[in-house]
């Protein structure tokens, strides 16, 4: 599950329900720095296999939040970038005991720069924006970015993944995992933690079924050979 802010807008328990549902579905969750509940309450709700996401924040404030999240058991730091400020990123990484993942990579050049700086993972993402005419979607940039990274760090991706077949395409094109946004939120709004667990397990089941139909028995067997890319659909007004 990718970072989404203010989940209490969708359900009274917000991130508390989401982390329970994600944990039950054996799925990692990235907690937004703008969550409805403090990270202490989210961690106490269910020991999470999660990271904490920090969109833009002042260094002193961010450093305190990172230390607190690490002490509570978070497994990675996900930093959303809008043009990498390497001096700030380097300060946040100093002395950190967990991997750092950069979210917002949209070109091979950005990916190479991140890997060259020792970043442990990247997220191909356009911050949830819908592609406009002439703008690439994250999955369109994924093959070139995967080639640039050349297996030196795991690649994640977000952007309108709705079915198991969508996830299969991303994994076949070089992603290690997919970050989900809206589907878990819709499930959270309708059924709370049980809804989150159900939608995640449904997508896992669909992915397994679609892999079997392609004759791919495991994730390592996925490659671009299962894909046939046609012309891109025109953007909607």
């Amino acid at each position: 599950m990718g970072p989404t802010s203010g989940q209490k807008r969708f359900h009274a328990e917000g991130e508390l329900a989401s982390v329970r549902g994600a944990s039950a579905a054996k799925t990692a969750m990235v907690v937004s720095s703008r969550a409805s509940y403090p990270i202490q309450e989210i961690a106490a709700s269910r020991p999470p296999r999660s990271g904490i996401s920090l969109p833009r924040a002042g260094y002193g404030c961010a450093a305190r939040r990172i230390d607190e999240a690490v002490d509570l058991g978070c497994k990675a730091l996900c930093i959303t970038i809008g043009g990498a400020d390497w001096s700030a990123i380097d300060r946040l990484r100093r002395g950190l005991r967990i991997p750092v993942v950069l979210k917002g990579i949209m070109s091979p050049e950005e990916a190479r720069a991140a890997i060259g700086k020792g970043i442990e993972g990247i997220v191909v993402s356009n911050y949830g924006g819908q592609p406009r005419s002439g703008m690439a979607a994250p999955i369109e940039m994924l093959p070139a970015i995967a080639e640039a990274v050349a297996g030196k760090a795991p690649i994640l991706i977000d952007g309108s993944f709705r079915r198991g077949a969508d996830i299969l395409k991303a994994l076949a094109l070089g992603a290690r995992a997919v970050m989900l946004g809206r589907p878990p939120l819709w499930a959270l709004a309708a059924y709370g933690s049980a809804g989150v667990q159900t939608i995640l397990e449904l997508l896992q089941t669909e992915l397994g079924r679609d892999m079997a139909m392609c004759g791919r028995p495991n994730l390592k067997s996925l490659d671009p050979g299962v894909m046939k890319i046609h012309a891109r659909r025109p953007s909607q007004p």
Side-chain angles (χ1 to χ4, degrees):
M1 286 181 62
T4 50
S5 64
Q7 293 184 23
K8 202 171 180 180
R9 295 173 295 166
F10 304 96
H11 188 275
E13 288 191 295
E15 291 83 2
L16 307 183
S18 289
V19 77
R20 290 200 302 271
S23 295
K26 298 181 174 61
T27 300
M29 175 176 166
V30 183
V31 178
S32 171
S33 63
R34 297 174 183 171
S36 299
Y37 289 91
I39 188 67
Q40 302 97 318
E41 292 187 38
I42 298 171
S45 181
R46 177 69 170 85
R49 299 170 58 209
S50 66
I52 182 169
S53 172
L54 292 173
R56 298 166 187 85
Y59 168 70
C61 173
R64 288 192 297 273
R65 292 163 102 174
I66 292 168
D67 290 342
E68 186 173 35
V70 172
D71 290 342
L72 289 167
C74 287
K75 305 301 182 184
L77 169 66
C78 180
I79 303 175
T80 301
I81 59 171
D85 179 352
W86 287 112
S87 61
I89 292 170
D90 287 341
R91 289 198 302 272
L92 289 173
R93 294 174 65 199
R94 194 171 297 136
L96 201 59
R97 309 188 303 273
I98 58 174
V100 173
V101 178
L102 287 191
K103 181 175 182 285
I105 301 295
M106 278 294 286
S107 74
E109 294 76 20
E110 290 177 333
R112 278 191 288 265
I115 301 306
K117 286 281 189 178
I119 294 298
E120 289 91 349
I122 63 173
V123 183
V124 182
S125 172
N126 62 1
Y127 316 106
Q130 297 298 313
R132 301 293 192 269
S133 179
M135 294 178 62
I139 199 164
E140 292 178 292
M141 298 306 303
L142 178 58
I145 291 173
E147 183 178 0
V149 172
K152 295 175 183 175
I155 300 171
L156 291 81
I157 186 171
D158 68 7
S160 299
F161 290 93
R162 302 289 185 263
R163 299 180 296 274
D166 299 331
I167 299 171
L168 186 151
K169 295 170 190 175
L171 299 179
L173 291 175
R176 181 77 61 85
V178 164
M179 281 188 174
L180 299 171
R182 294 181 188 180
L185 291 181
W186 295 331
L188 173 67
Y191 299 109
S193 63
V196 173
Q197 178 182 354
T198 298
I199 193 66
L200 294 174
E201 291 178 341
L202 175 62
L203 290 169
Q204 292 164 359
T205 300
E206 288 183 357
L207 174 60
R209 177 201 64 196
D210 294 339
M211 288 173 58
M213 293 177 69
C214 292
R216 298 300 198 269
N218 52 53
L219 294 176
K220 289 184 179 180
S221 67
L222 289 175
D223 58 53
V226 303
M227 299 283 297
K228 185 174 182 181
I229 301 175
H230 300 279
R232 179 182 173 184
R233 293 181 182 179
S235 300
Q236 299 296 317

